[in-house]
Amino acid sequence: MNEPTIDDYLDELLRRTHADARTTRRLIDEASDHLEATAAQLEEDGMPRRQAELEAVRRFGPVGPIVRATFRRSLGALVLDTLRAGLFLAGCGLVAVGLSGLVALVMNLWAGQSFVGGETLFPGPGAPVREVAADAVVLRVIAGLAGLVMLLAYLGWRRYTTSVSRLPDGLVDALGAAAFAAGTAALAIASADQAAQTGTPGVGFPLSGAVVALPATVYFCVRAVRALLPAASGSDRQIGGRVGPPAAPR
Amino acid sequence: MIPGPLRNNLELMLMGVLRHGPAHGYAIIAALREYTDGEFDLAEGTIYPALHRLEECGVVESSLESVHGRRRRTYALTTRGRKQLGTQRREWRAYVAHMEAVIS
């Protein structure tokens, strides 16, 4: 009969604990110490090692209730971390919209208001060119300012909470990269479509967004890659002080 | 109606054990067994999520030490935890007294 020994039990606990890394590591540490202490005590009382391990595992109890209690405890923190990440991404998105408003302003000055506001597909037929061109700047900059406020709130939140994020490394950056990449693609296609239908008038409206979304995509991709590939990110430098094989002994 | 804090007896028992001084999980279980003459023979692993929850609430605090090459976490009641224990103990005693009055 395959009853779990201490190692089997810890493997199962690790596999089924869907909590953040710190909570999981702490639970495994404590379970390991507790099980070993129990087994050692039973061995001292004359029980063979294997039997002592089985008894220690039996006393510790089934994995299910422990992982459920741990997950419930971790869930609140996970929700808060998700909200904080959402605040960061929403703030970045709105700041990008604000920057696209500044790009639209440059386009208005450089290429004339019809480049942004002329016969654009977005505001609908009949909208005055000047109004659309101005709205593309003003409304977007207002959105950008709202985004800055959200980013400041995010930084404040992060500064005054000391806990390590429960979300997997790179997840937020990967989501940001995916969102900005989708935005870049959609706006680039809209720009090309606009150009094909009307020529240059109105192209600046989506193009100003694409011009900002593209570097934002690159920025989030770099952050995601650095987080997901620790060897390339400098994490080794932080931990070991250097990267690469150890120096040959002299 | 059962007072809110008393709904979780395990946490109250853990605080009751830690009232006597700092202890790690294994020692807490041994003490629980001793105080109750083995009546409260709960699954030992269930105390850890409860201890973590108490620590998050600021009722207990923990510190790490190394024992036989293993990391061992010791828990202790905080000042806030002692006050909380006092309050919960009074509520528990009142609850028991009322129950006693009803069923006796």
Side-chain angles (χ1 to χ4, degrees):
Chain A
M1 195 169 159
N2 286 329
E3 288 175 285
T5 57
I6 289 176
D7 275 345
D8 297 331
Y9 186 89
L10 293 175
D11 289 347
E12 179 74 358
L13 192 58
L14 181 61
R15 195 177 62 77
R16 289 181 55 188
T17 303
H18 302 296
D20 58 283
R22 179 169 289 192
T23 303
T24 305
R25 183 171 53 77
R26 184 170 166 174
L27 183 65
I28 297 294
D29 266 359
E30 291 188 303
S32 171
D33 178 49
H34 189 114
L35 289 163
E36 290 293 347
T38 309
Q41 181 62 52
L42 292 168
E43 260 188 303
E44 262 184 43
D45 294 345
M47 201 179 271
R49 176 68 194 179
R50 179 167 170 78
Q51 212 178 329
E53 285 201 16
L54 296 178
E55 178 59 18
V57 165
R58 190 195 66 75
R59 288 186 187 179
F60 203 76
V63 167
I66 299 170
V67 297
R68 275 196 294 278
T70 302
F71 180 72
R72 272 200 300 274
R73 198 186 66 78
S74 181
L75 188 62
L78 196 62
V79 168
L80 279 179
D81 281 346
T82 306
L83 284 177
R84 195 169 68 177
L87 185 67
F88 172 67
L89 288 177
C92 287
L94 286 176
V95 165
V97 170
L99 289 174
S100 79
L102 296 179
V103 173
L105 175 66
V106 172
M107 286 175 169
N108 281 342
L109 296 173
W110 176 65
Q113 291 187 323
S114 65
F115 185 63
V116 173
E119 297 179 39
T120 174
L121 296 175
F122 293 101
V129 170
R130 186 176 294 173
E131 188 183 324
V132 173
D135 281 354
V137 175
V138 175
L139 295 180
R140 291 186 195 183
V141 168
I142 289 172
L145 291 174
L148 273 180
V149 170
M150 290 171 84
L151 283 182
L152 284 174
Y154 163 78
L155 288 174
W157 188 348
R158 223 178 66 158
R159 184 171 177 179
Y160 291 106
T161 52
T162 52
S163 63
V164 176
S165 175
R166 271 87 173 166
L167 298 176
D169 280 352
L171 176 67
V172 175
D173 298 319
L175 286 174
F180 276 111
T184 304
L187 290 167
I189 290 169
S191 304
D193 187 42
Q194 183 78 31
Q197 289 191 39
T198 63
T200 53
V203 172
F205 194 91
L207 187 62
S208 55
V211 163
V212 175
L214 182 61
T217 305
V218 173
Y219 170 72
F220 274 100
C221 279
V222 169
R223 280 176 56 113
V225 167
R226 290 181 67 162
L228 293 169
L229 301 175
S233 70
S235 299
D236 290 351
R237 278 190 294 275
Q238 288 168 6
I239 296 166
R242 65 195 303 280
V243 175
R250 295 183 181 182
Chain B
M1 191 177 155
I2 300 174
L6 296 186
R7 275 178 292 194
N8 199 333
N9 296 341
L10 174 59
E11 292 179 359
L12 183 54
M13 287 194 291
L14 295 175
M15 288 160 66
V17 171
L18 291 174
R19 175 174 61 106
H20 300 287
H24 53 85
Y26 184 75
I28 291 172
I29 281 288
L32 267 179
R33 221 178 261 129
E34 187 190 327
Y35 294 146
T36 63
D37 291 328
E39 274 303 306
F40 289 176
D41 196 14
L42 61 145
E44 297 174 0
T46 53
I47 66 166
Y48 291 103
L51 284 167
H52 298 169
R53 196 163 49 240
L54 287 175
E55 187 170 15
E56 266 190 2
C57 297
V59 173
V60 304
E61 59 192 359
S62 70
S63 57
L64 270 176
E65 56 183 329
S66 185
V67 178
H68 306 307
R70 293 199 301 269
R71 283 149 59 90
R72 174 165 288 173
R73 192 173 286 275
T74 301
Y75 293 89
L77 266 188
T78 59
T79 310
R80 183 179 167 191
R82 290 192 183 280
K83 285 182 190 160
Q84 182 82 2
L85 176 63
T87 308
Q88 295 206 13
R89 203 162 40 186
R90 278 193 298 279
E91 290 176 355
W92 177 255
R93 282 175 179 156
Y95 172 70
V96 171
H98 293 141
M99 280 298 288
E100 188 69 23
V102 171
I103 63 174
S104 296

